[in-house]
Amino acid sequence: MFLLLALLGAPSLAAADSNFKRINPPGPYAVGLRVVEQYDFARGYRGATDPLTGKPVTGERARPIQTLIWYPAAKGSGRGVTVEDYVKLGATADDFERPPAERAALEAKFVRARVAVLSPERAKAELAAPMRARRDATAAAGKFPVVIYAPSFNAEAYENADLCEYLASQGYLVIASPSFGQASRGMTTELEGVETQVGDIEFLIGYAHGLPQADMSRLAVAGYSWGGLANVMAAAKDSRIGALVALDGSVRYWPETIKQSRFLTPARVTAPMLYVAAAPKPVEEQAVDVNKDTSFLAKMKYADLYKVTLYPYVHSNFSVMFDQRLAAEYGDYDKDELSVANGWVETYVRRFLDAYLKGDAAGRAFLDTPVAKTGAPRHLLALDVAKAQGAPPTQAAFAAELNRVGFDKAQATYQAFRSRDGDFAIDETEMNRWGYQLLGNGDTRAAVAILKLNQELHADSWNASDSLGEAYAAAGDKTRAIAAYRQSLVLNPKNTNGVTQLKALGATP
């Protein structure tokens, strides 16, 4: 009995009545919860007229961002939070202007709808179950790594409140907002929808910069399902994101959306990723467009990838609040087995974040430990590890390598990048622009090297030769400048700039 209480963190009687059991004890910090109702004024949300009634819309039309912040807190402060307190937040998640009485009525209606499938006794027990967070508790001293949590398709910000609380107790600042569409609560399954959620992640990163507890040099983004596509897209745009957690993320299931985005490529995702997957489906149930050839995970080469497969879990189980705490049925595994599985989800997420955000050697060693030696129940999960294969073949990485080996080795370095990844390329226009930027910065030697490479790669381009001539002239290499300008005229006799520059150099066209 004593061992059970220790494992469950000595729950109260109300928590024991809940079907969900916390397996992992909390970390050293108490957990605070703050709810902020704010707007992203850079983006619109409501149109000029209501799409249902046709009436003019009144009030704020900017994008509402209901922001939940879980943070390390001082013990003994704040007021307790129950499951019902979280569920109520969904009632006005995109409508902050309701008067108190109207808001209370909406909250009661929203809660009733959420537990309608449960018996009255079960609903009462689940809603009354105490959570770890304490509302508006005093913040603990210090700065902590930041984790942005992106919920699943059309889900509330608190869908994985248990995980967010657990991470806060372990010394993380966790921030989440709901998954709503571009112009309404309804998320949409196309590029616009996921990019809307990317925008929410970006907004929360900006907001986190103003929080006294936030250490923005240590930043991760976690996401479940649809949020597990949005967070990877965000990382492709923002190299400050140092780690990714995907709970059965849609980056695995929506290859066409990834293709449409154009910018989401393996070369642009260098943040290490923990991908926690549901049990594999039978071959007959797999979508025809989801396979090894289309899988983004299979193509990841430039980031450490840890893939944990949980055999008791189906996709929906990753939403602990709705599919475990407030679920009427549990599928092939019972509630206790799912609680144990969730405990291991928390363990792997914490160890992963500890390893990559806190530089924790024990966390890194745990990730590399065979499952049989972790203490996990037999046949609960499987672990596959794929380590990064060097620097990604991007222009930024190419520039960094040239800075290391010397710009005079541009041709050999470019070919080495191409041999590692046949898709690597810098088009003529971009390379020309790069050369001129170096020239403008006064780095003529590097400018000559880049524009010479551009001319070698595009030998049939008169403009590449013309630009190289300008670089040689700036470097004081008159002979080569003349040769480059004359080559540009061979390719384009109408190049009046080439004629003018040759005359300025004292040479005949």
Side-chain angles (χ1 to χ4, degrees):
M1 183 63 179
F2 175 79
L3 177 60
L4 177 62
L5 290 176
L7 286 173
L8 300 183
S12 68
L13 182 59
D17 289 340
S18 169
N19 275 8
F20 180 77
K21 296 177 182 177
R22 293 189 180 97
I23 300 302
N24 295 319
Y29 295 96
V31 179
L33 171 66
R34 189 160 59 252
V35 180
V36 178
E37 295 180 339
Q38 58 183 329
Y39 293 94
D40 181 357
F41 291 103
R43 292 185 291 165
Y45 184 65
R46 291 184 173 85
T49 59
D50 187 289
L52 297 179
T53 66
K55 296 179 180 179
V57 169
T58 60
E60 183 57 62
R61 290 169 55 199
R63 184 169 181 80
I65 307 286
Q66 184 194 59
T67 307
L68 275 58
I69 308 131
W70 294 269
Y71 55 94
K75 295 181 179 179
S77 60
R79 60 180 174 83
V81 174
T82 65
V83 169
E84 184 174 9
D85 290 323
Y86 276 117
V87 178
K88 285 179 179 178
L89 295 173
T92 54
D94 71 337
D95 188 354
F96 307 151
E97 301 176 11
R98 302 276 185 171
E102 191 173 335
R103 179 178 288 230
L106 288 172
E107 290 173 346
K109 181 180 179 181
F110 192 86
V111 170
R112 285 195 302 271
R114 283 297 186 188
V115 297
V117 297
L118 305 181
S119 69
E121 295 78 13
R122 170 86 192 286
K124 182 178 180 181
E126 295 296 350
L127 292 173
M131 300 293 288
R132 284 189 174 129
R134 299 188 66 82
R135 188 76 182 262
D136 301 322
T138 302
K143 286 186 173 292
F144 303 92
V146 175
V147 179
I148 307 297
Y149 177 80
S152 61
F153 190 87
N154 229 115
E156 307 297 341
Y158 55 81
E159 73 173 1
N160 266 318
D162 289 277
L163 174 62
C164 297
E165 290 182 345
Y166 177 69
L167 292 176
S169 79
Q170 298 287 347
Y172 291 92
L173 184 65
V174 186
I175 309 173
S177 64
S179 172
F180 292 161
Q182 189 275 328
S184 70
R185 285 185 74 131
M187 178 55 80
T188 52
T189 57
E190 82 285 280
L191 187 59
E192 182 183 48
V194 71
E195 288 193 333
T196 295
Q197 193 161 10
V198 172
D200 293 343
I201 292 170
E202 293 169 340
F203 176 85
L204 293 180
I205 291 173
Y207 172 73
H209 270 273
L211 299 178
Q213 285 183 302
D215 179 356
M216 297 305 295
S217 68
R218 299 183 289 173
L219 172 65
V221 185
Y224 159 44
S225 192
W226 197 243
L229 171 57
N231 71 334
V232 182
M233 281 192 173
K237 290 184 171 185
D238 190 345
S239 62
R240 296 173 301 173
I241 296 172
L244 291 167
V245 175
L247 304 179
D248 217 29
S250 289
V251 69
R252 189 183 199 182
Y253 301 117
W254 290 81
E256 275 304 311
T257 303
I258 292 172
K259 184 178 180 180
Q260 291 167 15
S261 74
R262 299 180 68 85
F263 67 84
L264 180 51
T265 64
R268 291 184 63 169
V269 179
T270 59
M273 179 190 291
L274 172 68
Y275 192 99
V276 188
K281 294 180 179 180
V283 173
E284 294 78 12
E285 296 179 19
Q286 290 284 7
V288 293
D289 61 344
V290 178
N291 53 57
K292 185 177 181 180
D293 293 333
T294 62
S295 170
F296 188 87
L297 298 182
K299 297 175 183 177
M300 285 183 65
K301 299 179 182 179
Y302 309 108
D304 292 345
L305 173 63
Y306 298 86
K307 188 175 73 173
V308 176
T309 301
L310 278 176
Y311 292 110
Y313 265 25
V314 296
H315 182 73
S316 60
N317 291 148
F318 285 96
S319 175
V320 169
M321 184 65 75
F322 299 123
D323 203 68
Q324 295 192 47
R325 284 189 175 276
L326 303 180
E329 299 177 355
Y330 295 97
D332 294 334
Y333 291 82
D334 66 30
K335 57 186 177 59
D336 295 321
E337 290 169 320
L338 293 178
S339 292
V340 169
N342 180 70
W344 282 94
V345 172
E346 292 181 345
T347 296
Y348 268 95
V349 171
R350 176 178 68 86
R351 293 286 201 161
F352 173 77
L353 293 175
D354 285 352
Y356 285 98
L357 293 192
K358 295 182 178 180
D360 180 58
R364 185 67 65 91
F366 177 85
L367 294 173
D368 292 326
T369 300
V371 170
K373 296 183 179 180
T374 62
R378 287 175 59 84
H379 312 305
L380 175 75
L381 55 88
L383 172 66
D384 296 293
V385 180
K387 294 300 179 72
Q389 300 175 23
T394 62
Q395 180 178 335
F398 180 56
E401 183 66 6
L402 292 182
N403 179 64
R404 188 181 71 84
V405 303
F407 275 76
D408 58 317
K409 295 182 173 61
Q411 175 66 259
T413 304
Y414 188 86
Q415 294 306 324
F417 269 57
R418 289 277 296 171
S419 66
R420 281 203 293 124
D421 191 325
D423 290 335
F424 173 73
I426 305 174
D427 67 33
E428 178 189 346
T429 301
E430 183 57 37
M431 197 171 290
N432 203 61
R433 184 183 300 115
W434 183 9
Y436 273 108
Q437 288 173 333
L438 289 168
L439 203 59
N441 290 340
D443 195 346
T444 54
R445 184 174 179 179
V448 166
I450 292 301
L451 292 172
K452 184 173 185 293
L453 174 62
N454 200 30
Q455 191 271 339
E456 290 169 342
L457 294 175
H458 306 283
D460 58 347
S461 169
W462 69 268
N463 189 57
S465 293
D466 185 271
S467 297
L468 179 58
E470 185 173 343
Y472 277 136
D477 193 336
K478 182 177 178 180
T479 300
R480 286 191 173 90
I482 291 171
Y485 278 125
R486 281 177 172 164
Q487 178 61 20
S488 76
L489 287 171
V490 169
L491 296 169
N492 179 15
K494 296 181 180 180
N495 176 20
T496 56
N497 181 67
V499 173
T500 301
Q501 297 303 324
L502 283 170
K503 289 179 179 178
L505 290 167
T508 57

